[in-house]
Amino acid sequence: MFDAKKLLDQFLGSQVPGLGGSVRDRAGEAMQTARNNPMKTGALAAVLLGTKTGRSIAGNALAIGGLAAIAGLGYQAYKNYQSGQAPAAPSDAPSANNPVLLPPAESGFGPASPAGSNEFVLVLIRAMIAAAKADGHIDAAERALIMDKITAADVSGEAAAFIERELASPTDIDALVAAAVTEEQRVELYTASRLTIDPDSRAERGYLDLLAGRLGLADQLVDHIEATVSSAKTTLSQ
């Protein structure tokens, strides 16, 4: 079995070939690389996650790792929901001075939790691909284009075959929901799905609403996840 966490990092652009230096430096370099040569950014960062709409994840999320970014945003939304705070505003977006924070080890989020197992990270990747397919735009020709970009992003072998199968297979929302057995996992699964798309079509919005309902997430919690993820996205031109 391939390393799902490494693949998720490539999806979110944190393991772009040739990047080094500090967390802050890598984040800046990753953004510049995405501008200059999208074919060398992470697989979904270039194809499914942000650059197709000119948007990406703000602050240090590109550098701390895909699972850490998902866990950090999910934990932030969950914590604010539990404390009764209002959903995040755009001014609360992560930045160099206000980064996405790693969740505490005992929080149930992130690498030290069940949500950090290789098996569940595969579920998160499946959820991201399912969200990307929600508007029905990925046909055979686009799948071929995506696989070309995945090859250029240095993804190969079992990992590439896994992505190709998921792109070609019908979405099994029952399996996705069943794999999220804790509330923290359910939050992370929805957060990963929402990170993948900006729901600007009825199909995408309908898919996310269906997913939230099937996961049993409270409406106010979904509002917090939506606001936290939305505020964490920034235009590549910034």
Side-chain angles (χ1 to χ4, degrees), residues 18 78 83 95 143 176 212 232:
Y78 189 64
S83 66
S95 65
R143 285 201 304 272
L176 292 176

Side-chain angles (χ1 to χ4, degrees), residues 67 70-79 82 103-110 112-116 120 124 179-192 215-217 221 225:
L67 178 59
I70 291 168
L73 292 170
Y75 171 71
Q76 179 181 333
Y78 189 64
K79 182 180 67 173
Q82 287 191 314
E106 69 278 7
S107 68
F109 289 85
S113 72
F120 189 69
L124 293 179
V181 297
T182 69
E183 187 163 30
E184 293 84 4
Q185 287 179 325
R186 291 190 285 272
V187 168
E188 288 195 13
L189 195 151
Y190 186 87
T191 299
L215 289 169
L217 299 178
L221 176 54
I225 298 171

Side-chain angles (χ1 to χ4, degrees), residues 39-163:
M39 292 290 284
K40 285 297 183 183
T41 61
L44 287 190
V47 185
L48 302 176
L49 192 135
T51 55
K52 70 172 184 176
T53 57
R55 299 179 70 81
S56 189
I57 308 304
N60 64 334
L62 282 173
I64 64 175
L67 178 59
I70 291 168
L73 292 170
Y75 171 71
Q76 179 181 333
Y78 189 64
K79 182 180 67 173
N80 290 344
Y81 161 72
Q82 287 191 314
S83 66
Q85 294 185 33
S91 59
D92 298 327
S95 65
N97 296 321
N98 182 31
V100 176
L101 299 177
L102 297 177
E106 69 278 7
S107 68
F109 289 85
S113 72
S117 68
N118 197 70
E119 291 76 14
F120 189 69
V121 175
L122 280 177
V123 174
L124 293 179
I125 296 171
R126 287 190 174 101
M128 294 170 74
I129 294 173
K133 296 190 296 184
D135 67 355
H137 78 280
I138 300 181
D139 56 18
E142 187 154 7
R143 285 201 304 272
L145 176 62
I146 289 170
M147 295 312 299
D148 286 344
K149 290 178 181 289
I150 285 171
T151 299
D154 297 334
V155 178
S156 60
E158 282 187 79
F162 166 79
I163 295 170

Side-chain angles (χ1 to χ4, degrees), residues 203-217:
E204 290 170 329
R205 182 71 267 165
Y207 175 77
L208 288 175
D209 289 345
L210 174 63
L211 180 62
R214 293 293 302 279
L215 289 169
L217 299 178

